[in-house]
Each structure stands twice: as structure tokens, then as C-alpha cells.
Amino acid sequence: MENQFLIDSEYLSEAALQKKHELENDPSKRTDPMEYFPNMERIKSDVMEKVITEMNNYDPDQYTAVDVARALRHDRCSIEDLKAFLSPAAEPFLEQMAQKARLETQKHFGNTVYLFTPLYIANYCENYCVYCGFNCYNHIKRMQLNKEQIEHEMKVIADSGMEEILILTGESKAKSSIEYIGEACKLAKKYFKNVGLEVYPVNSDDYRYFRECGADYVTVFQETYNVKKYETLHLMGHKRVWPYRFESQERALMGGMRGVAFSALLGLDNFRKDALATALHVYYLQRKYPHAEMSISCPRLRPIVNNDKINPLDVHEKQLCQIICAYRIFLPFAGITVSSRETKEFRNGIVKIAATKVSAGVSTGIGDHESKYTGKETGADEGDEQFEISDTRSIDNMYSDMENEGMQPVLNDYLYV
Ligand code: SF4
């Protein structure tokens, strides 16, 4: 496969711009999103077919207030009930849904809320996702931390008291190799009790290697479960291969990963159908891998560097709340993460209803934790941010705010003996 990764000087070359123009305007120039690239592992699994069939058959407008009221009376939420909860007919029932979700959350998680910090160690990316600030055609300041810089950032974060870290890279295997990510995991294990990875999807052997290096869980966003829409948004690179991405969590579990996380980027396509598919993706894998910890993230689109065409208001706050409540009622044991893309007020409220995990001390840039945490000019090189965040609270502020909201902040619940 041709390495389509672009380096700084090539962003605006005539050939690069020509290729970008072709990809955007001529679908015949794009690869088949259902075709695996060589060396991509294929697994035998019926989960994809089940999820897609349910999603394709789902018409949110078919559901009525009677369906929602019936679903609210059920002790156990069926797939039909979930479809009703995600439909427009459920919007007037938000208060009742929130009460039901709150009961489920309290039953299984008490009043705990987990805190974690994401750490971006590179922003190089080989993919062309049209909505993302890190995409290979976006002319931003690229950077990759070396081992010493990674360790320095981790130390700064660990000194703030955090015990869980989520390591992120853009998706460039050429720049952020398997070994590079593995080394980052080994460093993270020195400073943190729980280590998550949000990197490009890999084969189960590579997930096994990451696990051996210290990774505990893997997050992969499917973005949208609608393949037709997906192919118009992911124009180039390995991410274009939709089924390989869909099967990431299962390969990670086959590789021995302790937990996996899922997400659609709400607002890319019909958010009700994407929310249904995300929930079912978790549901079917929970049945197949009952030992695994599963969680779900609920991001909406945010503005990004050099792209003002994306409207992050496609999914309104009440609708986001509806989705999160539906997730909780349908998946009582799943973790639910709400990121700093959302406002402080929203996050303070949703942790009391359904969410179980929030990020704190967040930066989506590269190598800037020290300057952000201390307010000092460090003189260190820093890479551009992936997207703007809404909730900029420090770890200390988040911790005390959660306590003030009556929650019990948890930094880690996993002990190695
Ligand atoms: S969404 Fe991920 S894969 Fe796509 S351009 Fe951004 S960093 Fe790269």
C-alpha cells in the first residue's frame, strides 16, 4: 500500500492539492471502504452484521409516546425499548428517563465518578478525516514527543495526583510505530495505575504487545456506523477501512486487553441511529466477552483548527442527555465517559444521572501540560490542538467540584498485587 502520509513541506504541493481535490470531488478515486488493506487481520464474528442489520431497520420516527411510556415501565430494557428511548418521541420524557437512568447508575456505581487525563504524544496522521484538525491535509504544527518528553509530561500529570492516563496519537503508523506506542505504555506504567490507549487500530498480536507493555484498555471511535456516510468523511488512509475499525475492540479483547471503549462522533450522521449502533456494538460484545470492562464515550463535534464548516450544535444538549440516559438504561454496567468537549455545567449535571467518568486537566495539544498546569512559559516546543475544549478545569478544580456536587471522585480502582 502506498504510504500516503504527507510531511510538512508537501501539504501545499501541487500534487497533494490535486489529490485532495480528486478525493473530495471524485468518489471513483477513493478506495472501497469495505475492503481490508493487506496485513489487516480479519476475524470471524457475527457482531458487525447484527449491529448493521438492527441499525438499518431502525426508523426513529416510527416510535410513539406509547412505546416510550411502555419502555419506561419495563425493569429490563430490550432493544425495542432502547429504540424508543432514542427516538424523537422520547424527548418529552427526558425527566422520567433521567430518573430511571439515575437509579441504574446509583445501583451499580453508587455516587462514584472516575477522573482521568488524556495525553497526546503525537499529532501526525496519515488519514484524511474531513472533520478533524489533525487530518493529513490540515496545515498545523506537527509534533511527536520523544521518550524523555513523554516521561516529563507523564511526571507532570502524575505529580498532580492523577492515577489514570489515556495516551493518544494521531493515526500514523509511520511516525508513531507500534514500538513507539509500546514504549509510551511502559513509561506510563511507571507513573499510573490505569493506562488507556487511543491510537490507530492494530491486529490482535499488536494489541497483545501493548497489553504486555502496560496498556489496560483501548478506545476506538467508529465515528459513524453508516458506511455510506463514513466513506464521504474518511477519504484516505487506513481509517477508511470501515470493518477493520469496527472489529478493533474485538481484536483488542482477543489480544488480552482488560477493557475496551466505543463511540460514535455524534453529529456526523443521524445521531439516533449512530447511538443505537454504538449501544448494540457494546451489547453484543458484552455477551461474547462477559469478563471485559466496556465503556462508551459520547462526543459531539467541536470546532477544529482551520475548519469552520462543522456545526457542533447538530446534537443539542437535551438530545445528548437523552442519548446518555438511553445508554445507561440499556447498558446498566457500562462505563460512560463525558469529555471536556462538553461544558462544566453539563458535566456537573450528567455525572449525577448517568456518566461515570470525566477527563480533567485536559489539553488536546502536544507537549504543553507543564505550561498549562503551571502557567509558566517553559520554552518547550508544542504541537497544535486537535479541537477546542469547553471544560478547561484543572484536576484540583474538577476533584473539588465533584465533591461539592456530592460525588465521590475516584482516581483508580485497580490494584496490582
Ligand atoms: S480523526 Fe483521528 S484519524 Fe482522523 S484525521 Fe483526526 S487524528 Fe487522524
Side-chain angles (χ1 to χ4, degrees), residues 125 127 129 132 134-135 170-171 239 386:
C125 191
N127 294 317
C129 310
C132 174
F134 282 0
N135 85 59
E171 296 199 9
K239 185 167 177 181
Q386 188 180 27

Side-chain angles (χ1 to χ4, degrees), residues 47 53 65 115 149 160 207 216 230 235 241 279 328 336 339 343 351 353 387 394:
V47 173
T53 305
L115 306 187
Q149 291 167 320
S160 71
Y207 281 125
D216 293 286
Y230 186 94
L235 302 184
V241 184
R328 169 56 64 230
I336 296 181
S339 80
T343 62
V351 293
I353 298 170
F387 53 83
S394 68

